[in-house]
Amino acid sequence: MSEQKKGSRVTIRIIGAAIVLGLLASVVGVYVKGRPSGNMSAVAEADCSPSVDLAARIQPLAKGEIAAMASVREAKSLQTLAFNGPQGQPMSIGDLSGKTLLVNLWATWCAPCREEMPALAALQEELGGDDFEVVAINIDRGDDVKPKKFLGEIKVSNLAFYRDSSMGVFNTLKKDGLAFGLPVTLLVDEKGCLLSSMNGPAHWSGQDAKTYVKKALSENTL
């Protein structure tokens, strides 16, 4: 066999090996690139694990007017729960991290929602600040006129105007088994992890509610 032919075969083998290695590298590359998203999900879930313990510690205080508040038993992040902010800007629960949140979904056509709104405002007035906020999200269809008019009529001005006219926030919670009707109320910790939830109205400015929220604030895990 001539040196030229031997050289050609060696070249072909090298090229073939390079192609195989290239394909293997591509497969490994896809695998490695695919891992972070899975790992990120696992990390997010693990970050909410301490919140399950906190939820268990505050559960004994869910009594009286807020007896329906049920603590989570599995880690659940609500960081990506999306709605619009006071200026109409898209945002999510994650944008409010650093605060414990009492998230309340309401609509003007929901009579119990209308009845409990002053109590939510009173709770915000007393406990609202750098470490706590009542996040009342209106889900009326259409424009902002009707819900803003209602809040004006009952003289509630201390609640930021959060909104989702698509009802996407409600439907998301419904899929997760957290929303069945209105109002829906969720207690969320500073990391955006769900602590507890309930469907139906409550006297949120009552002593039971305030004691419950204060306990969550005093034992936060951030």
Side-chain angles (χ1 to χ4, degrees), residues 57-72:
R57 292 198 299 273
I58 64 175
Q59 183 59 41
L61 295 176
K63 57 186 180 180
E65 290 281 351
I66 60 163
M69 283 295 278
S71 290
V72 295

Side-chain angles (χ1 to χ4, degrees), residues 5 11 24-25 79 155 162 177 220:
K5 287 184 178 180
T11 302
L24 288 173
Q79 281 192 333
K155 295 180 172 55
Y162 297 111
N220 66 70

Side-chain angles (χ1 to χ4, degrees), residues 126-195:
E126 182 169 344
L127 299 183
D130 293 339
D131 57 356
F132 176 73
E133 181 180 354
V134 173
V135 178
I137 305 173
N138 175 262
I139 62 170
D140 275 54
R141 294 286 194 175
D143 58 30
D144 298 348
V145 174
K146 194 171 182 180
K148 283 187 173 180
K149 181 181 178 182
F150 166 69
L151 293 174
E153 289 173 349
I154 63 172
K155 295 180 172 55
V156 167
S157 59
N158 67 333
L159 297 177
F161 188 65
Y162 297 111
R163 184 100 158 86
D164 179 20
S165 61
S166 72
M167 290 186 66
V169 63
F170 178 86
N171 291 329
T172 296
L173 294 174
K174 183 177 180 181
K175 288 178 182 178
D176 288 343
L178 297 170
F180 307 101
L182 290 180
V184 178
T185 307
L186 315 163
L187 187 63
V188 180
D189 74 9
E190 295 152 321
K191 295 174 296 183
C193 300
L194 180 64
L195 294 175

Side-chain angles (χ1 to χ4, degrees), residues 1-13:
M1 183 180 295
S2 67
E3 292 298 323
Q4 184 176 359
K5 287 184 178 180
K6 286 182 179 179
S8 297
R9 290 188 176 183
V10 170
T11 302
I12 290 171
R13 287 174 182 172

